[in-house]
Amino acid sequence: LQIQVEDLPESTCLWCEGSGRCRCPWCNGEGHRMEMEMKSSAGFQEDIEKMMKGEPVKLPGKVPVRCSACTGTKKLRCRYCRGSGKGIYGNNASLP
């Protein structure tokens, strides 16, 4: 028994619910990620001088950075239906 893919009916994509877009897994659908704050070379030099004197040095904090995967849109094209919003699933097929 062979079933041709063309013979299977299309239905709404189970993962994106027909929208063609899914929540970005890289930023968790927030549009930005928290990354370590980068210091300039001058700031780094100041920290070294403070450490040499025995003074406390402030650790770098985290700053929000726009997600490079979704470019801040919070969603990516659905990888299962490739953005079409439709899918072909074997459970929809009626076999002869």
Side-chain angles (χ1 to χ4, degrees):
L1 174 67
Q2 284 188 327
I3 300 172
Q4 298 295 322
V5 173
E6 297 84 26
D7 296 338
L8 296 175
E10 278 190 335
S11 64
T12 302
C13 177
L14 299 174
W15 286 269
C16 69
E17 299 176 340
S19 69
R21 304 193 31 94
C22 291
R23 182 177 57 126
C24 177
W26 297 98
C27 65
N28 225 9
E30 295 181 14
H32 66 274
R33 295 190 307 249
M34 299 303 283
E35 293 186 3
M36 293 298 284
E37 182 179 29
M38 299 296 290
K39 289 191 172 191
S40 66
S41 59
F44 188 63
Q45 187 64 37
E46 287 175 18
D47 286 350
I48 292 173
E49 290 172 10
K50 285 182 181 179
M51 285 192 286
M52 297 296 283
K53 294 177 185 176
E55 298 175 9
V57 176
K58 180 184 168 210
L59 294 173
K62 290 191 174 185
V63 293
V65 176
R66 185 178 73 173
C67 178
S68 57
C70 68
T71 61
T73 61
K74 303 178 184 180
K75 295 194 176 266
L76 291 175
R77 186 177 76 158
C78 178
R79 65 183 183 169
Y80 297 101
C81 68
R82 296 186 178 138
S84 71
K86 296 183 185 280
I88 298 173
Y89 304 103
N91 61 348
N92 293 336
S94 56
L95 300 175

